[in-house]
Amino acid sequence: MKINRILINQFKRFFSLKDTSKTRRATAEYISGNSEIVKDTKDVNLRGVKLTGLYRDLPALIFFPDIFDSVENWMSFFANSNNPIINHRDVYILYPRNQGTSDWCNDNSSEPAEDLVDDIERFMYLHKLTSATIGGHGFGAKNALLTGCYKPNLVTGILAMDWAPQNYHYFRAGHSLKSNFDVLKSLGNIENMTFEQFKNSIRKEIQCFKTQAMLEQQFKLNSKGKRYLQFNLDYLTERFDDIVSWKFNYGLFGGRTRFIFPEYSQMVFLNSNTLSIMKICVQNRGYQTDIKSLLCDNNDNPEVNHWIYENQSLSEQASYQSCEFLQNYDGVNVLLKNRSEIMENISIPVQRQERKDNDGTPISPSHFHHNWRFISNTNPK
């Protein structure tokens, strides 16, 4: 798939596709392939963007944006020079099935959650990833926790931004999503609609400026000159109940987790929703340890605060909280306090590859043998 030159220019201050200087930079690569409509659910392939980290042999973070959001919107967050995540992870920002450049499938499966998880496992095997941190934002974080519940062997930790495992039918976020689906369905056939017509239609019916901007971003032109939305609206509308609810049969997750949300949030409420987090994530140690809130700088609009990457203060706080989790807790046995107990008290074989961190200190890879399935050489050069 050809990389959109406009997007490259837009993000060139964050990325370099060729490392032509001595300064290390993240490299951005769109995952090849075009979105296709497939009949068999087992043929679905996920796509998005890969941001290669600054060092060799880095563990992976797989991250899913919220519904209607684009992977490009998260590129500036993860590859920002002020965000050290790229020092510690290769980041895959992916669309789930029926969204973005990932494949579409209208298979009426009775277990859509398992299908989503199978898609992630298929992607990891295809891209030679034994294990990964799985993360997401908004309803994209649900894909992450589902993977932890159904396939814990693939997951070193869960990183969830502004979401909790609960039923959102009765929350503003759920009502807004349903209303947006209804507005888009009411537009009917949009193949011959101009961009101005589409923009005027949604701005008349949808009040949220961010949602308007994202939908305009998703309004595409195909090779035949026809307009379309870059998500499967029929599928999402039909699966609305599955999207906004967390069901009992999804099970529990017993690994490491980090939940991050703005203090004024439309998705997570400190006095109630955090209980649902601790019921599902049984090793979660609660507020100020595995559950972190972000200060909102006098902005009490939950709808605006949800889009963390658009606010510098929220973005910096989320970056710090994410890195603390990735460095000190992700992949660490839940019986240990943090990673320091691995390094100091327990004898565990370590891959014989050291790198120097920004301060010149030699350190070992943060995950020991994190990709054992696909790396036969335990001493890469």
Side-chain angles (χ1 to χ4, degrees):
M1 186 176 184
K2 293 183 179 179
I3 298 180
N4 188 314
R5 304 308 304 178
I6 297 177
L7 288 171
I8 287 189
N9 292 332
Q10 183 179 357
F11 295 111
K12 67 182 179 181
R13 64 194 178 107
F14 299 116
F15 309 123
S16 172
L17 294 182
K18 292 184 179 179
D19 192 1
T20 56
S21 67
K22 293 183 180 180
T23 303
R24 298 188 184 207
R25 297 179 181 177
T27 60
E29 176 186 4
Y30 281 80
I31 297 170
S32 62
N34 296 314
S35 178
E36 299 179 359
I37 300 177
V38 299
K39 293 183 178 180
D40 192 336
T41 185
K42 296 180 181 179
D43 293 331
V44 171
N45 287 315
L46 304 184
R47 299 181 186 88
V49 174
K50 178 186 178 182
L51 304 179
T52 302
L54 304 187
Y55 302 95
R56 292 183 182 180
D57 191 38
L58 289 178
L61 165 64
I62 297 175
F63 190 88
F64 293 93
D66 203 351
I67 293 175
F68 300 146
D69 206 358
S70 298
V71 297
E72 289 84 4
N73 293 338
W74 283 94
M75 290 166 72
S76 57
F77 172 82
F78 283 110
N80 192 310
S81 58
N82 295 322
N83 189 339
I85 288 178
I86 211 69
N87 288 331
H88 305 283
R89 295 292 185 275
D90 292 333
V91 181
Y92 296 82
I93 313 173
L94 303 180
Y95 293 107
R97 61 166 54 202
N98 291 301
Q99 296 182 50
T101 54
S102 293
D103 289 339
W104 294 12
C105 181
N106 290 313
D107 183 16
N108 231 357
S109 169
S110 59
E111 296 294 341
E114 289 190 33
D115 292 337
L116 286 169
V117 174
D118 288 343
D119 294 343
I120 297 171
E121 182 178 28
R122 194 179 307 113
F123 174 87
M124 292 178 67
Y125 194 86
L126 181 63
H127 291 266
K128 295 181 168 32
L129 302 174
T130 305
S131 61
T133 314
I134 313 293
H137 172 242
F139 291 112
K142 180 181 178 179
N143 302 330
L145 189 52
L146 282 173
T147 308
C149 292
Y150 279 93
K151 303 279 184 178
N153 57 301
L154 303 177
V155 179
T156 60
I158 300 297
L159 179 62
M161 295 191 185
D162 208 15
W163 176 84
Q166 62 190 353
N167 190 336
Y168 281 97
H169 277 99
Y170 311 106
F171 288 80
R172 179 179 176 181
H175 282 275
S176 296
L177 183 61
K178 181 65 166 64
S179 175
N180 293 335
F181 284 162
D182 291 341
V183 169
L184 294 172
K185 291 288 284 186
S186 70
L187 297 180
N189 191 335
I190 63 171
E191 287 186 348
N192 298 313
M193 187 177 288
T194 66
F195 179 78
E196 286 298 320
Q197 289 174 331
F198 177 76
K199 182 174 72 171
N200 292 335
S201 296
I202 62 171
R203 291 191 176 188
K204 181 179 178 181
E205 300 294 337
I206 297 175
Q207 303 302 316
C208 176
F209 295 131
K210 176 61 180 178
T211 303
Q212 294 172 4
M214 289 190 300
L215 290 174
E216 290 167 15
Q217 198 175 9
Q218 298 284 2
F219 189 62
K220 304 291 185 179
L221 184 68
N222 64 22
S223 58
K224 297 180 180 179
K226 301 294 185 181
R227 294 286 184 176
Y228 70 101
L229 288 169
Q230 202 176 24
F231 51 83
N232 190 340
L233 180 60
D234 291 337
Y235 178 89
L236 295 177
T237 303
E238 184 178 341
R239 294 294 187 184
F240 172 77
D241 289 342
D242 293 314
I243 293 171
V244 300
S245 60
W246 182 267
K247 299 182 180 179
F248 177 79
N249 65 315
Y250 292 159
L252 307 174
F253 178 64
R256 296 281 186 174
T257 57
R258 172 62 58 93
F259 285 80
I260 302 169
F261 60 93
E263 59 180 349
Y264 293 102
S265 168
Q266 65 175 352
M267 304 289 285
V268 185
F269 299 90
L270 182 60
N271 63 343
S272 58
N273 302 28
T274 50
L275 183 61
S276 68
I277 293 172
M278 298 175 70
K279 283 182 176 180
I280 304 302
C281 305
V282 293
Q283 294 292 343
N284 187 287
R285 293 166 296 172
Y287 185 57
Q288 294 295 17
T289 305
D290 293 329
I291 302 172
K292 300 281 189 174
S293 61
L294 310 176
L295 298 177
C296 291
D297 292 340
N298 299 320
N299 183 359
D300 59 357
N301 186 333
E303 207 164 36
V304 173
N305 293 333
H306 180 64
W307 308 104
I308 294 170
Y309 55 77
E310 294 203 331
N311 180 292
Q312 182 178 353
S313 175
L314 292 177
S315 179
E316 290 176 354
Q317 292 177 71
S319 169
Y320 172 79
Q321 299 295 353
S322 300
C323 284
E324 183 197 31
F325 173 70
L326 296 174
Q327 283 186 281
N328 298 325
Y329 300 101
D330 183 30
V332 177
N333 190 294
V334 293
L335 297 179
L336 303 180
K337 182 179 179 181
N338 53 40
R339 181 162 278 104
S340 65
E341 290 197 28
I342 296 179
M343 306 301 293
E344 295 172 2
N345 302 325
I346 298 178
S347 177
I348 296 178
V350 179
Q351 255 180 281
R352 298 297 179 182
Q353 179 190 10
E354 291 186 341
R355 63 175 172 83
K356 290 189 175 181
D357 214 353
N358 293 336
D359 60 358
T361 306
I363 64 174
S364 300
S366 56
H367 284 219
F368 307 123
H369 303 294
H370 61 87
N371 205 14
W372 55 267
R373 184 186 297 275
F374 297 104
I375 296 181
S376 57
N377 183 1
T378 58
N379 187 20
K381 301 294 182 182

